[in-house]
């Protein structure tokens, strides 16, 4: 499980590249990255390796549950999902909730 806040203003492309690197290095991983857009908005991307999807963990479900913490919504596929919201100040709280929920 890798849950982290990235530097403000990260691009989706950069975040996806980093997620792919983590998944390759770990083999089996659940990754969630969050960052502030710099305009008060926040974004989240979650990714799950195929072995964990088979065990029932779905990135889309996690994003749907946690995006409301940052004042937004989101969703996606079992292996990758994205969300966003208007309350970037609550991003650390959202990431903590993910980490605690998976512990």
């Amino acid at each position: 499980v890798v849950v982290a806040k990235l530097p403000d203003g990260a691009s989706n492309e950069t975040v996806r590249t980093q997620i792919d690197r983590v998944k390759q290095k770990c083999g089996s991983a659940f990754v969630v990255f969050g960052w502030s857009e710099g305009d008060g908005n926040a974004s989240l991307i979650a990714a799950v390796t195929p072995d964990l999807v088979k065990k029932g963990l779905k990135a889309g479900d996690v994003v749907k549950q946690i995006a409301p913490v940052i004042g937004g919504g989101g969703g996606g596929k079992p292996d990758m999902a994205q969300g966003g919201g208007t309350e970037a100040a609550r991003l650390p709280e959202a990431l903590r909730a993910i980490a605690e929920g998976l512990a």
Side-chain angles (χ1 to χ4, degrees), residues 1-85:
V1 175
V2 179
V3 178
K5 181 183 181 306
L6 300 179
D8 293 350
S11 73
N12 282 351
E13 183 179 327
T14 300
V15 174
R16 289 176 186 268
T17 298
Q18 294 307 318
I19 285 175
D20 287 342
R21 286 182 181 162
V22 170
K23 287 171 42 179
Q24 287 173 357
K25 287 187 177 204
C26 293
S28 179
F30 172 67
V31 183
V32 180
F33 288 149
W35 67 98
S36 171
E37 298 288 341
D39 58 359
N41 293 321
S43 292
L44 297 165
I45 294 182
V48 180
T49 53
D51 63 311
L52 296 178
V53 172
K54 287 180 185 176
K55 292 181 179 181
L57 186 59
K58 296 178 183 169
D61 290 348
V62 171
V63 169
K64 282 180 189 174
Q65 290 175 351
I66 207 65
V69 174
I70 58 171
K77 299 178 181 180
D79 64 330
M80 179 144 331
Q82 188 169 340

